[in-house]
Amino acid sequence: LTYLEWHNALTIFVVLLAALGFLSTLAILAIFWRHLQTPMVRSAGGPMCFLILTALLVAYLMVPAYVGLPTISTCLCRQAFFNLCFTICISCITVRSFQIVCVFKVARRFPRAYGYWVRYHGPYVFVAAITAFKVAIVTVNQLVTPTGPTARANPEDPNVMILSCNPNYRKGLLVNTSLDLLLSVAGFSFAYMGKELPTNYNEAKFITFCMTFYFTSFITLCTVMSVYDGVLVTFLD
């Protein structure tokens, strides 16, 4: 039996990268909290920034669950909580990119609709609805494919069995990331629509860059999964 162990070089690299990301995100969270009432933080999204940063912090904390002997609890963290945190983050970025366009373009054409959007806290309603929908997707996925460690043969050596959480991890990955891909496409589209806005509101450019990087990483992930099926696919579960 083999599984992803702590002394693996790739494991050490990913864990260190996650630790760096966690500390950086925590520092940004502290800075935003200290300057919460400033125009800079408010223009960046205000309270929604804390939702994004908190989701990222929890996602970074899930990385150690991918290392070591898989158990039911660690598999649940991999396949449920990590995906949920990532969806919350993507949905916040998507609604933020929509608001950038909404303030300058939609508000002038549909002032009443924009008034309802602001009055009834549209961004938070959208994020809550997307989160509830993702919880339903993850729940159904867990019911169809029960969580728990499963052994499968190593294609390079039939005498070695790889312990992983999901024998059908490719299908599970497609299901769990389908909503994230749709949100990222929507966020990219809204941000691209706002690329000609005033320079003071150039946040759309950064969102466009981030979404493009996400598309590239997803294509790379699919390419790696199509040619490699060893123990390192644990990080893809």
Side-chain angles (χ1 to χ4, degrees):
L1 293 176
T2 183
Y3 51 88
L4 198 60
E5 300 184 56
W6 284 99
H7 58 76
N8 188 289
L10 180 62
T11 302
I12 297 173
F13 174 75
V14 171
V15 171
L16 289 177
L17 200 62
L20 179 62
F22 178 85
L23 294 176
S24 301
T25 306
L26 187 62
I28 295 173
L29 182 64
I31 294 173
F32 273 40
W33 178 262
R34 183 176 181 181
H35 303 279
L36 178 61
Q37 303 302 326
T38 60
M40 183 68 70
V41 176
R42 289 184 177 182
S43 65
M48 185 160 288
C49 293
F50 295 98
L51 185 58
I52 298 175
L53 295 172
T54 302
L56 285 176
L57 287 175
V58 177
Y60 281 125
L61 290 176
M62 295 294 107
V63 172
Y66 285 80
V67 187
L69 186 66
T71 61
I72 294 179
S73 58
T74 57
C75 289
L76 188 63
C77 290
R78 297 179 188 181
Q79 300 177 1
F81 295 118
F82 180 84
N83 288 308
L84 187 60
C85 292
F86 192 73
T87 299
I88 293 174
C89 182
I90 291 290
S91 62
C92 290
I93 295 175
T94 300
V95 77
R96 178 60 185 163
S97 63
F98 171 74
Q99 281 186 293
I100 295 173
V101 178
C102 181
V103 169
F104 288 93
K105 297 185 178 182
V106 180
R108 291 180 296 180
R109 298 181 182 179
F110 308 99
R112 181 175 297 182
Y114 179 72
Y116 283 124
W117 174 264
V118 175
R119 185 183 310 168
Y120 296 105
H121 306 286
Y124 298 98
V125 173
F126 175 81
V127 173
I130 291 296
T131 303
F133 185 53
K134 185 54 178 285
V135 169
I137 292 178
V138 171
T139 302
V140 172
N141 190 32
Q142 293 298 316
L143 292 176
V144 174
T145 306
T147 300
T150 305
R152 57 185 176 83
N154 188 339
E156 299 177 359
D157 187 357
N159 295 321
V160 177
M161 301 296 292
I162 300 175
L163 281 178
S164 62
C165 289
N166 188 355
N168 299 316
Y169 60 91
R170 287 187 174 88
K171 296 180 180 178
L173 182 68
L174 180 62
V175 172
N176 287 328
T177 58
S178 58
L179 181 60
D180 299 334
L181 282 174
L182 291 176
L183 288 173
S184 61
V185 170
F188 177 86
S189 301
F190 290 134
Y192 187 80
M193 290 169 59
K195 65 183 178 67
E196 297 179 354
L197 294 177
T199 307
N200 292 337
Y201 300 91
N202 60 357
E203 190 177 351
K205 298 179 182 179
F206 297 104
I207 295 178
T208 304
F209 172 77
C210 291
M211 293 300 100
T212 303
F213 181 79
Y214 175 70
F215 296 149
T216 305
S217 63
F218 186 80
I219 294 174
T220 304
L221 174 67
C222 294
T223 304
V224 172
M225 290 176 61
S226 64
V227 299
Y228 179 76
D229 198 28
V231 68
L232 296 182
V233 296
T234 301
F235 278 124
L236 312 180
D237 285 348

